[in-house]
Amino acid sequence: NNLESLLSNVEELYFSDSCIRSVLFGETSSAVNLSSKFADVAIKPNEPKTDELRELKVIELKERLSELGMTAKDFRNLRKADLVNLLASRLASRSEGRQGGGMKESE
């Protein structure tokens, strides 16, 4: 919804006839670096948000952590809030590794 709204506003504001004419003919315009507008609406992988993780039961959190390669010993004494934070950080580091590490294996 937010992305659709942003795209609609960007289209109206930056791709209107008057804006395009001003850019083409060198007039000052309200056009700005569009990347700054899209920075607020980052498209992330389909990883669950922390709020969604809070809805999971403790056993489900532990199962997800085990699926990520952790052992029960790693999280045995953690409370639910700590399990949520740990799982969120593990998922975030996993998705960052996927996005930035294309050449690592072949080096």
Side-chain angles (χ1 to χ4, degrees), residues 29-96:
S29 71
S30 61
V32 295
N33 183 357
L34 292 180
S35 65
S36 65
K37 296 293 181 186
F38 286 99
D40 294 334
V41 187
I43 299 173
K44 304 215 178 205
N46 291 330
E47 297 295 342
K49 296 179 182 177
T50 305
D51 292 339
E52 295 169 353
L53 295 176
R54 284 189 191 111
E55 295 174 6
L56 297 175
K57 296 177 182 176
V58 171
I59 189 70
E60 294 169 321
L61 292 166
K62 289 181 177 183
E63 287 171 358
R64 299 277 306 268
L65 287 165
S66 294
E67 291 169 3
L68 293 172
M70 296 188 72
T71 64
K73 188 177 180 181
D74 296 329
F75 51 79
R76 180 182 303 148
N77 296 321
L78 296 180
R79 295 179 181 196
K80 182 176 180 177
D82 297 325
L83 290 170
V84 168
N85 291 335
L86 180 60
L87 181 55
S89 68
R90 290 290 178 149
L91 290 171
S93 65
R94 184 182 73 166
S95 66
E96 287 172 7

Side-chain angles (χ1 to χ4, degrees), residues 15-34:
F15 297 107
S16 65
D17 290 340
S18 60
C19 183
I20 291 173
R21 273 190 231 121
S22 66
V23 170
L24 290 175
F25 298 114
E27 301 169 7
T28 57
S29 71
S30 61
V32 295
N33 183 357
L34 292 180

